[in-house]
Amino acid sequence: MKNEIKIFFTAVMFYTRIPVPKSIGYSGVNLNKATRYLPLIGILVGSVGAFVFYMANDVLSTEASVLCSIIATILLTGAFHEDGFADSCDGLGGGYSKEKILEIMKDSKIGTYGVLGLVLLILTKIFLLTEICPSQISIVIIAAHAFSRLNPVILMYISKYVRNDETSKSKDTTKEKSISILLIALIFSVLPLFLLHYTIILFVVITLFLILIYFRYYIHKKLGGYTGDLLGALQQISEVGFYIAVILAEKWL
């Protein structure tokens, strides 16, 4: 139990900016196992975003409240996944070979594709969330942050890491492919879904499954596998796909 707590705090340390006890330290082994808690981190981050939206919506417009929620989640994670999305936009947008794509994605400087990608990403989230019934937005935010983090876990399980940089901490999340990691991540990712209507759940599951399949096909065609940045990009795309699925399901209902 004590070791499991360390693994969870490792996940908190790696995927958020929330302070953890200094005794946790860094362990590549624990970081690999911490992947199982990525959807649980999503529940935590989504809950903060949902709370900020709920409180702000008492005094601000829905649009402004959604923006406040997005800012809160970005601050809480240190833009961890958004950074991966931006780097992926730069690499896939500006690279014409596997080597060039990987080189661009590793560059700490953000380029035109990355800037445009981030701007469009945030605007898309705002417009999509404001299309959802206001009384459901808080629940949707929590469920979206949790379930969208399942796709990166699955991708790590069914694909391979393509960088050869042994110093990369992202590589430590990929060294062991355990079915238990996948199952625990699945449990935490689906729990918030039960707060939604079953039709919405169906739309969400199908949409995110299609996103995963196409994303894997695309990056394998380009690179033959994934990188840490691409995992972040997949989470962000899956989150947007979640919101789209909810809107479509609400129209169906």
Side-chain angles (χ1 to χ4, degrees):
M1 186 63 180
K2 185 177 179 180
N3 189 54
E4 203 63 32
I5 293 174
K6 279 191 174 183
I7 293 172
F8 170 70
F9 276 123
T10 298
V12 173
M13 175 177 62
F14 189 71
Y15 296 115
T16 76
R17 292 291 180 88
I18 300 173
V20 300
K22 291 183 179 180
S23 59
I24 299 302
Y26 172 75
S27 166
V29 174
N30 283 346
L31 180 56
N32 173 254
K33 295 178 179 179
T35 306
R36 71 185 73 173
Y37 291 121
L38 187 54
L40 180 56
I41 296 298
I43 293 176
L44 175 62
V45 173
S47 296
V48 172
F51 177 75
V52 170
F53 170 80
Y54 179 80
M55 297 300 293
N57 203 36
D58 277 343
V59 292
L60 301 174
S61 66
T62 301
E63 292 81 1
S65 300
V66 165
L67 179 58
C68 289
S69 171
I70 293 172
I71 291 173
T73 59
I74 289 175
L75 291 174
L76 192 63
T77 62
F80 185 77
H81 301 293
E82 288 82 1
D83 179 64
F85 178 82
D87 288 340
S88 297
C89 288
D90 279 332
L92 295 171
Y96 296 97
S97 66
K98 174 181 177 179
E99 292 72 24
K100 189 62 178 178
I101 292 172
L102 292 175
E103 179 185 341
I104 293 174
M105 284 198 291
K106 193 172 184 179
D107 192 337
S108 60
K109 297 188 293 293
I110 187 171
T112 303
Y113 289 105
V115 171
L116 289 174
L118 281 178
V119 171
L120 292 174
L121 175 71
I122 300 301
L123 288 176
T124 299
K125 287 184 182 182
I126 293 173
F127 282 113
L128 290 176
L129 279 168
T130 52
E131 283 289 314
I132 297 170
C133 177
S135 64
Q136 293 293 304
I137 290 178
S138 291
I139 295 173
V140 168
I141 289 173
I142 297 172
H145 275 273
F147 200 65
S148 65
R149 282 164 168 79
L150 178 63
N151 268 355
V153 178
I154 297 176
L155 183 64
M156 283 188 278
Y157 192 83
I158 64 175
S159 193
K160 66 176 183 177
Y161 188 76
V162 294
R163 285 197 185 279
N164 296 318
D165 184 4
E166 293 294 335
T167 64
S168 173
K169 288 185 178 180
S170 295
K171 189 175 179 64
D172 285 332
T173 65
T174 70
K175 290 180 178 179
E176 179 186 341
K177 295 184 178 182
S178 168
I179 189 66
S180 64
I181 290 176
L182 192 59
L183 288 175
I184 293 172
L186 177 62
I187 291 170
F188 283 121
S189 67
V190 301
L191 284 177
L193 291 183
F194 292 109
L195 298 173
L196 304 171
H197 191 277
Y198 71 90
T199 305
I200 295 177
I201 296 175
L202 180 62
F203 270 72
V204 163
V205 171
I206 293 174
T207 300
L208 267 67
F209 175 75
L210 293 175
I211 288 173
L212 173 64
I213 295 302
Y214 181 75
F215 189 87
R216 183 183 185 278
Y217 163 77
Y218 181 78
I219 64 172
H220 270 253
K221 184 178 179 181
K222 289 283 188 178
L223 300 173
Y226 69 90
T227 67
D229 287 327
L230 289 171
L231 293 176
L234 177 58
Q235 186 278 319
Q236 290 292 294
I237 295 170
S238 297
E239 185 184 335
V240 169
F242 192 106
Y243 300 142
I244 293 174
V246 171
I247 293 170
L248 292 176
E250 285 188 343
K251 292 184 182 299
W252 181 273
L253 293 171

